[in-house]
Amino acid sequence: MEIRYFNRELSWLEFNARVLFQGLRKELPLMERLQFLSIVTSNFDEFFQVRVASVKRALYQEPDRPDVSGLTPQLQLTSISARTHQIIREQQNCLMNDVIPELTKNGFVYVTPENYTVQQSAYINKLFKSDIYPLLTPLRTDTEAFPHIKNLAIYAAFLLRPIDGIKLEKEGEALRGKDELPRIAFVEIPDGIQHIYWLPSENKSERQFALLGDIVTTFGTSLFPGLEVDKVMLFKVVRDADFAVDEDAGNNFIHAMEDVLIQRKSSFPVAMMCNGTSPEILKFLKEKLELNDEDVYLVDGILDPGSLMGLRSSDENGKMSFDKWEHFYPFDLPEDEPYWDTLKLHDKILHVPYESYDPVVKMISDAADDDNVLAIKMTLYRTGGDSPIIKALETAAARGKQVVVLVELKARFDEERNIAWANELEQAGVTVIYGLVNLKVHAKILMVVRRESDTIRRYVHLATGNYNPKTAKLYSDISLFTANPGIANDATNFFNLVTGYSTLQKMTYLGMAPVNIKSRILSMIQREIERSTPETPGLIIAKMNSLTHEEVINALYKASQAGVRVMLNIRGICMLVPGVPGMSENITVTSIVGRYLEHARIFYFENGGNPELYCSSADWMSRNLDRRIELMFPILEKEAFKEVKMILDTYFEDNTNSQRLLPNGSWEPVEKGEKEFQAQEELYKIYKKRAEKIAKKEQTEFIVRRK
């Protein structure tokens, strides 16, 4: 039977397996390998909170309804569990049998409790009593009210038994009755303190350390006087976080969002990770949390690899990390004056993190301080903490400018922060729009309105990534600075639509979801089919995070069957099945996982010799094209077009960090040619060379001899 679509959730799991693959690569620096192993765990946390929770809900609501790949909810859950168990086993095997020993070789020795020396044990015991013990709260479980287990918090579970000769109070005995419950207590591991504790050692050539979880499980006996600890294990519960806010909340929308945050902390358990094998504790937890064997993931090692990332700061010479890469200031933007005059002459492409994100912050800051700027309008989805952008917007409002910001409160896991930003902006005099009913605003756009020589000119910034200076150092994204009047007109119409009651007006240059991005993409794919000939076959090149939209996938299949060559670079989920004769033989799919997270969306269409190039905030997914406010923008100017096309082509030359999707759903590393080529490294070299060329030019001096 021909498979037409891969299952979305299983495709995501293969993405996480590609992240794990980076951790397995012995040629990478040790701290970077540890970072990738840590990302595997954090990825799983979000996956279970959102996607697996959604499948579990479908199991109760429509148990017999298969998805587009033909899998029922139960088959999906069974397959998810099997593959997740496999990935976690590989992750832990790599961590405990490869990375930890390599850390030891580099002078960082993880000491497990059974290997504490007498001196170390005394030292930790004293530290435990003074710094950790006061923060711990033991919770008994043999009462009518089972203690609440927080989402994603790590707990120690202690199986207790009375010490011979010591008589305990009879409290709770009636509750035990004939079916006596085991004496099990929970202790939450504090999250607000350090997780790595350096130990005294006679060996001066190495630094030995213990982990917080081990310390609590080892010395936690003192929390239970009169009882002995029979068994102990660490565990973490992942709960459902797939909540929808009440869109009809009206003026109480923020309160409705706050309710969602509260619900997330106490929602139904989806999975449990633990690093112990006590049958009594496991049985007890599964019964109380209503989890089955498929939902429980035994970790034979360190429950949270991320707790080891504190070692990076102790790697003083950086020998266990990637060489530091700079973020170069763009050579064609002035550092000491506003960009207005420059942008009137030409568009500017910014490629972070190779280039610095400072120009985006500078544009907003310059607009805030410029007496000729009348208005600043922008969208905010994820802004990060302590954002200079927020401060600049507040400054602009204080100076009497019209500042309008659409803050998307429904940005998952950033809701609380966005509520705080929205309140702060409002108090500073900014007009804040709290998103749109039933549509999440995911578009990235900024517009500055400026008075110039008795006319009004608008400057626009459009991006594939968020207005977040911190993630702009880690995520690879493309953005466009432009003063193009046509794009500015479309930007004005966009803001009028999302902030007021304006009916939808035609946009000439910008595509907007859910209105017309999908139809434009389908139209351009169809155009490629119509203009493709055996002599000059059509060509579609696209780079994005995920591809799941059935209509778009079907259109790409049709294009392949018409002889159009389709080259896709998909970082995460891909439900399209490539390389199937008669269906998709002309489609290739590759994926790059590297030191930077690939986040840009770039779409190229050959168009019969008149190529077109677009960037977008939207992936080709149903949620982006049908249920979100997104923007797609064209790259019009020649030099800008050349720049973005160069970036896009570079990704398809990678033979080091790139993997290829096979028709059976598995991924394999792209074969290395005679010369190793890493796309991210090559891009860095390009921007570094440009910066060095400019620096050399600026340093050139002509010295005149004088008498």
Side-chain angles (χ1 to χ4, degrees):
M1 180 179 175
E2 180 184 276
I3 300 175
R4 192 169 181 85
Y5 309 102
F6 291 128
N7 174 263
R8 170 183 169 142
E9 320 311 341
L10 299 182
S11 178
W12 182 92
L13 284 173
E14 295 312 312
F15 157 66
N16 215 23
R18 296 195 296 281
V19 176
L20 172 62
F21 179 79
Q22 295 298 104
L24 300 177
R25 292 175 60 185
K26 294 180 182 294
E27 68 271 24
L28 294 185
L30 195 55
M31 280 297 159
E32 308 304 337
R33 296 180 63 195
L34 182 56
Q35 180 80 64
F36 282 116
L37 296 180
S38 175
I39 292 171
V40 169
T41 296
S42 58
N43 280 350
F44 271 134
D45 286 346
E46 183 168 343
F47 176 65
F48 277 98
Q49 285 182 94
V50 180
R51 298 307 311 170
V52 179
S54 176
V55 178
K56 283 203 166 192
R57 198 174 287 109
L59 177 64
Y60 290 104
Q61 295 172 348
E62 299 178 288
D64 299 322
R65 183 179 179 180
D67 73 333
V68 294
S69 71
L71 298 181
T72 63
Q74 184 57 63
L75 283 174
Q76 291 182 61
L77 291 172
T78 301
S79 301
I80 287 169
S81 177
R83 186 64 173 122
T84 301
H85 275 94
Q86 184 180 25
I87 292 172
I88 289 177
R89 281 196 298 270
E90 291 183 47
Q91 176 205 34
Q92 287 294 319
N93 180 59
C94 176
L95 177 64
M96 303 309 296
N97 299 321
D98 185 356
V99 171
I100 294 292
E102 286 298 315
L103 282 171
T104 300
K105 292 179 183 178
N106 282 273
F108 296 95
V109 181
Y110 167 46
V111 184
T112 54
E114 61 269 20
N115 292 316
Y116 295 158
T117 65
V118 173
Q119 180 190 18
Q120 289 172 342
S121 186
Y123 171 80
I124 299 173
N125 190 27
K126 182 179 179 182
L127 182 146
F128 173 79
K129 290 178 179 178
S130 63
D131 293 2
I132 301 172
Y133 181 88
L135 300 173
L136 303 180
T137 303
L139 304 171
R140 64 185 301 165
T141 62
D142 60 352
T143 60
E144 291 180 342
F146 184 74
H148 172 63
I149 305 301
K150 297 179 185 176
N151 184 34
L152 299 182
I154 295 179
Y155 288 81
F158 296 87
L159 178 63
L160 307 169
R161 59 181 172 81
I163 297 175
D164 291 341
I166 296 179
K167 187 176 182 180
L168 296 175
E169 294 181 17
K170 295 184 177 181
E171 181 183 353
E173 198 169 291
L175 289 172
R176 285 197 262 280
K178 295 180 180 179
D179 300 321
E180 183 174 344
L181 294 173
R183 283 191 178 89
I184 294 175
F186 299 152
V187 175
E188 182 181 354
I189 305 296
D191 192 41
I193 60 175
Q194 65 193 73
H195 284 251
I196 293 175
Y197 290 84
W198 299 105
L199 302 175
S201 172
E202 295 179 359
N203 189 340
K204 303 302 180 184
S205 65
E206 62 185 27
R207 300 187 67 187
Q208 298 187 354
F209 66 91
L211 293 178
L212 176 60
D214 290 340
I215 294 173
V216 173
T217 56
T218 303
F219 296 94
T221 310
S222 59
L223 293 162
F224 313 104
L227 295 166
E228 283 187 342
V229 175
D230 192 24
K231 295 284 180 64
V232 62
M233 76 176 196
L234 296 174
F235 71 94
K236 175 179 71 177
V237 174
V238 185
R239 294 182 177 276
D240 171 30
D242 189 30
F243 290 104
V245 67
D246 180 7
E247 296 284 358
D248 297 322
N251 294 331
N252 293 317
F253 186 72
I254 289 182
H255 294 303
M257 282 302 311
E258 291 170 341
D259 288 341
V260 166
L261 299 179
I262 293 170
Q263 291 176 54
R264 188 176 290 162
K265 295 177 182 178
S266 58
S267 52
F268 74 84
V270 178
M272 181 176 72
M273 286 72 179
C274 54
N275 73 345
T277 56
S278 166
E280 298 94 338
I281 298 177
L282 276 177
K283 180 175 182 290
F284 180 75
L285 282 169
K286 283 191 293 185
E287 288 177 356
K288 291 295 183 180
L289 297 171
E290 298 182 354
L291 296 171
N292 57 42
D293 290 341
E294 286 185 348
D295 302 320
V296 177
Y297 299 87
L298 298 178
V299 173
D300 187 18
I302 298 172
L303 193 61
D304 178 19
S307 62
L308 294 171
M309 289 312 301
L311 295 173
R312 190 191 285 273
S313 61
S314 299
D315 179 26
E316 296 174 358
N317 56 15
K319 66 177 183 178
M320 293 189 291
S321 299
F322 285 134
D323 293 338
K324 188 175 180 180
W325 282 3
E326 297 178 62
H327 310 289
F328 302 105
Y329 199 89
F331 72 95
D332 50 356
L333 284 177
E335 291 189 59
D336 53 357
E337 60 185 58
Y339 303 146
W340 320 130
D341 291 340
T342 301
L343 296 181
K344 278 184 279 191
L345 297 176
H346 63 83
D347 290 351
K348 166 61 189 170
I349 296 296
L350 185 72
H351 189 194
V352 297
Y354 308 99
E355 293 183 295
S356 169
Y357 196 70
D358 289 350
V360 179
V361 178
K362 176 175 165 55
M363 182 177 181
I364 301 171
S365 298
D366 286 344
D369 295 332
D370 190 332
D371 291 337
N372 290 319
V373 167
L374 305 175
I376 302 172
K377 302 181 181 183
M378 72 181 302
T379 58
L380 288 178
Y381 189 72
R382 301 187 196 275
T383 58
D386 193 29
S387 173
I389 291 175
I390 299 294
K391 291 180 174 61
L393 293 171
E394 291 173 350
T395 298
R399 289 175 58 88
K401 303 180 190 305
Q402 182 193 72
V403 183
V404 179
V405 178
L406 192 153
V407 179
E408 181 49 78
L409 299 184
K410 300 190 292 287
R412 198 189 306 271
F413 303 122
D414 270 346
E415 300 97 337
E416 193 168 0
R417 177 179 293 163
N418 284 3
I419 289 172
W421 285 138
N423 288 332
E424 183 177 328
L425 287 168
E426 276 196 322
Q427 290 172 10
V430 175
T431 299
V432 177
I433 309 298
Y434 297 105
L436 299 180
V437 175
N438 295 320
L439 292 172
K440 186 178 287 188
V441 180
H442 193 248
K444 328 299 183 184
I445 183 171
L446 160 71
M447 183 172 70
V448 175
V449 182
R450 190 170 186 266
R451 183 192 297 110
E452 297 179 2
S453 303
D454 298 327
T455 188
I456 298 295
R457 190 181 295 270
R458 293 159 294 181
Y459 298 87
V460 180
H461 175 264
L462 293 147
T464 65
N466 297 309
Y467 287 104
N468 188 328
K470 291 186 178 179
T471 56
K473 294 179 180 179
L474 304 170
Y475 291 13
S476 175
D477 274 302
I478 304 288
S479 62
L480 170 72
F481 295 85
T482 184
N484 181 297
I487 291 179
N489 284 335
D490 286 355
T492 300
N493 289 337
F494 170 82
F495 280 110
N496 288 344
L497 175 66
V498 298
T499 63
Y501 290 104
S502 172
T503 55
L504 184 64
Q505 300 182 40
K506 182 180 179 181
M507 293 186 186
T508 305
Y509 295 93
L510 299 182
M512 176 180 166
V515 181
N516 65 357
I517 291 184
K518 181 176 72 175
S519 61
R520 283 194 181 189
I521 290 169
L522 294 174
S523 175
M524 288 187 286
I525 295 173
Q526 180 60 33
R527 183 184 64 186
E528 211 63 31
I529 293 171
E530 294 169 356
R531 297 187 179 183
S532 179
T533 66
E535 296 75 27
T536 57
L539 176 63
I540 299 170
I541 309 176
K543 178 185 184 302
M544 67 196 83
N545 296 322
S546 297
L547 171 59
T548 66
H549 202 292
E550 295 170 50
E551 287 182 74
V552 177
I553 291 173
N554 291 336
L556 292 173
Y557 287 156
K558 183 180 176 183
S560 172
Q561 293 157 21
V564 177
R565 187 182 177 198
V566 181
M567 300 168 60
L568 303 174
N569 187 280
I570 314 293
R571 188 194 86 222
I573 304 166
C574 181
M575 289 174 56
L576 177 146
V577 182
V580 177
M583 182 177 79
S584 58
E585 66 265 38
N586 291 315
I587 303 178
T588 59
V589 180
T590 56
S591 176
I592 291 177
V593 177
R595 68 185 291 170
Y596 292 147
L597 184 142
E598 291 298 335
H599 196 250
R601 293 90 165 184
I602 311 172
F603 316 135
Y604 173 88
F605 298 90
E606 185 67 24
N607 189 27
N610 296 299
E612 293 181 359
L613 190 59
Y614 299 85
C615 292
S616 180
S617 61
D619 291 309
W620 290 353
M621 303 178 73
S622 297
R623 72 181 187 190
N624 297 96
L625 301 183
D626 299 329
R627 301 191 300 275
R628 286 184 174 182
I629 301 291
E630 305 270 12
L631 287 172
M632 181 174 73
F633 52 96
I635 309 301
L636 300 174
E637 287 194 358
K638 182 179 178 181
E639 289 303 312
F641 190 106
K642 182 179 177 182
E643 178 82 355
V644 177
K645 184 60 163 55
M646 177 276 293
I647 294 168
L648 183 61
D649 289 342
T650 301
Y651 286 111
F652 289 88
E653 297 180 50
D654 191 294
N655 61 13
T656 305
N657 292 325
S658 184
Q659 294 196 35
R660 178 186 295 110
L661 177 59
L662 303 180
N664 64 2
S666 63
W667 292 78
E668 66 176 13
V670 170
E671 292 182 10
K672 292 187 177 181
E674 295 181 4
K675 186 178 180 181
E676 185 178 283
F677 188 95
Q678 296 186 48
Q680 294 186 350
E681 184 175 313
E682 185 64 25
L683 288 167
Y684 177 76
K685 289 178 180 177
I686 290 171
Y687 291 104
K688 182 180 180 183
K689 188 175 181 180
R690 289 180 185 175
E692 290 174 344
K693 185 176 180 180
I694 295 301
K696 186 176 181 181
K697 182 179 179 181
E698 290 175 348
Q699 290 171 5
T700 302
E701 250 184 87
F702 295 96
I703 301 174
V704 179
R705 291 187 182 275
R706 296 187 184 277
K707 186 176 178 180

